[in-house]
Amino acid sequence: MVAEVEAMYADTRSETGFARMSPAVRAAMGKVERHRLVPDSQRGAAYRNHPLPIGSGQTISQPYIVALSTDLLNLKGGEAVLDVGTGSGYQAAVLAEIASRVCSIEIIPALGEAARKRLEELGYGNIEVRIGDGYQGWPEKAPFDAIVVTAAAPQVPPALVAQLKPGGRMVIPVGGSGDIQYLKLLVKRADGGYDEKRVLPVRFVPLVPGR
């Protein structure tokens, strides 16, 4: 799987600016036990470089996208990161191999509770999972050094921008379910605004809003 991800990095370098995974991300991708974060029926496909269904109409993201999103955050270690859309817990686990603290939020209770249990079994004491509305983030734990969103929003949620530290980075897929979606990198400015870069076209499940 790691070799397949590296090959995709090489193929997309002109769009992403990354010819290969950083050493920290490559180590995390090699260490996280993806087969333990997917339903039993999907275990045989756990190390293929593509998304997999995890129930409730949701998916575990393609390993390449998880690696790229993590590299785009430019983590050095010691950061507090918000993961919006826990899903299976895979993105949170990869982040937790590098960052010191990961706060992960999931709106679907069954998915969030299952991910919490699996992550605890895997020994990730630096991940906290909450059931809630990802559009609103986790204000009690803010500000964050970095934010990654693992489902597509029609536009960037203002609450997430507000919870990002100045100089912090956010990686988020933006676009409606019928539109072309783009993975975007946002860097927050000192004045509270942000600069954004369109990285590459993607296809994500929609970010479910709270009722």
Side-chain angles (χ1 to χ4, degrees), residues 11-35:
D11 290 344
T12 56
R13 65 184 298 178
S14 62
E15 295 168 283
T16 67
F18 291 95
R20 63 186 63 83
M21 284 183 275
S22 65
V25 170
R26 194 179 205 285
M29 295 297 291
K31 184 177 178 184
V32 174
E33 298 178 78
R34 194 173 190 246
H35 70 281

Side-chain angles (χ1 to χ4, degrees), residues 79-83 91-93 95-96 99-104 126-129 138:
E79 295 91 352
V81 182
L82 176 64
D83 169 44
Q91 176 73 76
L95 292 168
S100 66
R101 179 168 61 94
V102 178
C103 297
S104 189
N126 60 336
I127 300 175
E128 189 173 352
V129 178
W138 199 332

Side-chain angles (χ1 to χ4, degrees), residues 20-199:
R20 63 186 63 83
M21 284 183 275
S22 65
V25 170
R26 194 179 205 285
M29 295 297 291
K31 184 177 178 184
V32 174
E33 298 178 78
R34 194 173 190 246
H35 70 281
R36 293 180 65 182
L37 293 166
V38 299
D40 290 344
S41 61
Q42 298 294 331
R43 284 196 166 194
Y47 293 100
R48 295 176 187 168
N49 184 31
H50 56 66
L52 296 171
I54 58 171
S56 303
Q58 303 300 300
T59 59
I60 183 172
S61 294
Q62 179 187 23
Y64 163 73
I65 290 293
V66 171
L68 178 63
S69 297
T70 307
D71 260 328
L72 286 166
L73 295 178
N74 195 31
L75 302 175
K76 304 300 184 188
E79 295 91 352
V81 182
L82 176 64
D83 169 44
V84 178
T86 312
S88 66
Y90 183 52
Q91 176 73 76
V94 171
L95 292 168
E97 292 289 343
I98 305 169
S100 66
R101 179 168 61 94
V102 178
C103 297
S104 189
I105 187 163
E106 172 58 55
I107 198 166
I108 301 172
L111 288 182
E113 296 297 345
R116 179 189 286 125
K117 183 172 182 289
R118 289 187 182 118
L119 291 165
E120 286 175 355
E121 289 171 352
L122 287 167
Y124 287 105
N126 60 336
I127 300 175
E128 189 173 352
V129 178
R130 170 188 177 184
I131 308 303
D133 182 356
Y135 280 92
Q136 304 307 316
W138 199 332
E140 298 86 355
K141 300 287 186 178
F144 298 99
D145 300 290
I147 298 174
V148 63
V149 184
T150 62
Q155 50 266 208
V156 178
L160 298 185
V161 177
Q163 291 169 38
L164 191 61
K165 288 181 182 178
R169 292 175 165 234
M170 184 193 309
V171 174
I172 179 171
V174 179
S177 56
D179 304 331
I180 297 175
Q181 300 170 358
Y182 286 95
L183 192 68
K184 292 188 174 184
L185 170 64
L186 280 53
V187 180
K188 189 170 180 179
R189 300 192 304 262
D191 65 6
Y194 60 85
D195 299 313
E196 70 173 64
K197 174 190 175 187
R198 185 185 285 182
V199 182

